[in-house]
Amino acid sequence: MTGARILLADDHRIVAEGLKSILAAEFDLVGVVENGRDMVEAARGLQPDAIVADITMPLLNGIEALELLRKEGIETPVVFLTMHREVDYAITALEAGAAGYVLKHSAPDELVRAVQVVLGGGTFVSPSLAGELFQATRARSREHGEAAVALSVRQHDILRLLADGKSAKEIAKALDISSRTVEFHKYKIMESFGLKNGAELIHFAIKRGIARP
């Protein structure tokens, strides 16, 4: 064990139990929380050396929690351990200030290595995703200097549920947000990508691989 103090944030208790044993064998696990708000509070109070967090969590998702920490000037390196292998998620996470992005199906030693790398000031991305991420980043940089429009994690989740036929009320309940917030994000997606109606929104979701035809 290196003595580095690690905070774990994951709302899946069975997964969290497995992660606790992996991390505690190598580091000093100082806390385990189950949602983004508690992650922010624990980061403030415990001042860990690094945070391992899921992206999809209640109250605040991992990226929203990270953005809040950065706004407060808290620079604790964050490694996201997630099931989301979509490149858009990884780009959004890294742009928000994440130091690591590890896929949950990876071997346990990959997570340990990621934490060691970020503790040393580096950045770590799962090798199985790194090549695709590099290509996507290059493609964006070739867009004639125009800023690439990317969905936020929250918008991605809302669009996926809209494409599944969920109502704003159902989505609000599933994501623990207000119906007004759902409608706001729906409007912002349509405005950002020039979509005129619900049919175009669903087609956009299918084209992006967010929904199945």
Side-chain angles (χ1 to χ4, degrees):
M1 186 168 67
T2 66
R5 305 172 71 254
I6 307 299
L7 170 66
L8 173 62
D10 196 308
D11 66 317
H12 297 97
R13 294 189 179 183
I14 295 176
V15 173
E17 286 300 318
L19 294 174
K20 282 166 62 176
S21 62
I22 293 169
L23 294 170
E26 300 289 337
F27 310 103
D28 180 11
L29 187 61
V30 296
V32 180
V33 297
E34 296 184 359
N35 63 68
R37 286 182 187 168
D38 286 348
M39 170 180 152
V40 174
E41 290 296 328
R44 291 169 180 155
L46 296 173
Q47 299 183 347
D49 296 308
I51 299 170
V52 173
D54 195 0
I55 288 181
T56 305
M57 292 189 292
L59 304 184
L60 291 175
N61 66 48
I63 291 178
E64 290 169 335
L66 171 58
E67 290 173 337
L68 185 54
L69 290 176
R70 294 296 183 259
K71 286 179 182 178
E72 295 183 7
I74 298 174
E75 297 298 328
T76 308
V78 173
V79 174
F80 284 119
L81 181 66
T82 176
M83 62 181 285
H84 298 295
R85 76 166 324 278
E86 296 92 339
V87 171
D88 277 353
Y89 271 89
I91 291 174
T92 301
L94 294 170
E95 287 179 345
Y101 196 91
V102 179
L103 299 176
K104 278 190 173 179
H105 68 256
S106 302
D109 59 353
E110 189 171 303
L111 174 60
V112 172
R113 176 60 181 155
V115 175
Q116 291 170 338
V117 168
V118 306
L119 286 169
T123 301
F124 185 97
V125 175
S126 282
S128 62
L129 186 62
E132 190 178 348
L133 176 63
F134 175 72
Q135 292 297 329
T137 302
R138 286 187 63 187
R140 288 187 177 212
S141 69
R142 291 196 299 264
E143 293 186 351
H144 307 292
E146 296 180 3
V149 179
L151 292 170
S152 69
V153 173
R154 180 65 79 198
Q155 289 173 338
H156 188 287
D157 290 342
I158 288 172
L159 182 55
R160 173 175 53 81
L161 291 169
L162 284 169
D164 285 343
K166 303 295 185 184
S167 67
K169 186 176 180 180
E170 289 171 328
I171 295 170
K173 183 176 181 180
L175 299 179
D176 197 21
I177 57 179
S178 69
S179 296
R180 181 177 294 180
T181 298
V182 174
E183 293 292 351
F184 170 77
H185 282 297
K186 178 182 176 181
Y187 168 78
K188 291 301 294 183
I189 295 169
M190 295 180 70
E191 180 185 48
S192 296
F193 294 94
L195 307 174
K196 299 180 179 64
N197 51 49
E200 289 190 4
L201 189 69
I202 301 304
H203 179 72
F204 174 78
I206 294 170
K207 186 177 179 181
R208 280 253 173 164
I210 296 169
R212 294 182 180 180

